[in-house]
């Protein structure tokens, strides 16, 4: 019997809130009344249209050294956190390039400063994936350039962790036959 009383009380509370359809009709009516009561001339309407702001684009592209130094300084910030490291690596992954080993080393050092070991593994995996079709050429070079940093920070490569092949990976259908 008390359960029935609780359900009835809850039902009464829900009915105390006005229905959405009634609220929608009220706002449509008030807008209609407001629109009819306010006569707006064409010149007044034209004054309220926002003007377009034009942006002037420069024709000079950022040099490779400026690009590298910008990301290195981003990852070398002392107040960087895990989200910002992920954001920086996400931005780099979205670009059509393989990041320079100096940038990756700075990102790995940033991970060490915040003690995020799993993020170092993800960064190395992303760099390997970014090598694409030229993985046989670029990935050994990356490991060669990053080996002092990896040994300094005590970070194993994904291969040493057994991550060269995903655990639940299916065979590539293009290499089956």
């Amino acid at each position: 019997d008390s359960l029935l009383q609780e359900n009835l009380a809850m039902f009464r509370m829900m009915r105390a809130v006005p229905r959405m359809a009634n609220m929608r009709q009220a706002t449509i009516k008030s807008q209609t009344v407001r629109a009819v009561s306010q006569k707006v001339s064409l010149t007044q309407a034209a004054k309220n249209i926002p003007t377009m702001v034009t942006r002037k684009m420069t024709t000079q592209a950022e040099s490779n050294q400026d690009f590298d130094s910008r990301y290195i300084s981003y990852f070398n910030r002392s107040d960087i956190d895990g989200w910002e490291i992920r954001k920086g690596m996400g931005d780099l992954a979205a670009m059509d390039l393989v990041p320079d080993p100096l940038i990756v080393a700075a990102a790995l050092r940033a991970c060490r400063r915040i003690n995020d070991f799993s993020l170092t593994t993800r960064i190395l995996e992303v760099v390997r994936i970014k090598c694409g079709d030229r993985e046989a050429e670029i990935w050994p070079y990356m490991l060669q350039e990053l080996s002092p940093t990896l040994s300094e920070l005590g970070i194993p490569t994904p291969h040493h962790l057994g991550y060269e092949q995903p655990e639940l990976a299916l065979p590539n259908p293009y290499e089956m036959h």
Side-chain angles (χ1 to χ4, degrees), residues 18-31:
R19 293 186 178 202
M20 190 56 95
N22 293 341
M23 292 173 62
R24 211 175 303 121
Q25 287 176 353
T27 58
I28 291 172
K29 285 179 185 173
S30 64
Q31 287 174 358

Side-chain angles (χ1 to χ4, degrees), residues 22 39 45 49 58 65 68-69 85 89 125-126 157 159:
N22 293 341
K39 303 276 184 186
I49 296 174
T58 59
Q65 290 81 17
D68 291 349
S69 65
I85 296 172
M89 285 308 296
E125 287 176 337
V126 165
T157 62
H159 177 73

Side-chain angles (χ1 to χ4, degrees), residues 34-128:
R34 199 176 316 130
V36 170
S37 65
Q38 295 176 353
K39 303 276 184 186
V40 179
S41 68
L42 190 58
T43 55
Q44 288 174 337
K47 287 180 184 176
N48 291 333
I49 296 174
T51 59
M52 289 188 58
V53 178
T54 57
R55 286 180 54 187
K56 295 182 180 177
M57 303 302 242
T58 59
T59 58
Q60 259 186 337
E62 185 178 28
S63 70
N64 289 339
Q65 290 81 17
D66 293 340
F67 178 83
D68 291 349
S69 65
R70 181 166 52 100
Y71 272 96
I72 290 170
S73 64
Y74 176 81
F75 287 122
N76 284 338
R77 292 186 356 230
S78 61
D79 63 337
I80 197 166
D81 62 356
W83 186 89
E84 290 174 330
I85 296 172
R86 286 176 175 83
K87 169 87 170 79
M89 285 308 296
D91 292 345
L92 284 170
M95 295 179 197
D96 189 23
L97 54 85
V98 178
D100 192 75
L102 295 173
I103 297 173
V104 178
L108 293 173
R109 285 190 182 95
C111 292
R112 181 65 185 132
R113 280 196 305 276
I114 64 167
N115 290 326
D116 195 343
F117 177 76
S118 62
L119 189 53
T120 61
T121 306
R122 293 291 175 220
I123 287 173
L124 292 173
E125 287 176 337
V126 165
V127 170
R128 182 174 176 209

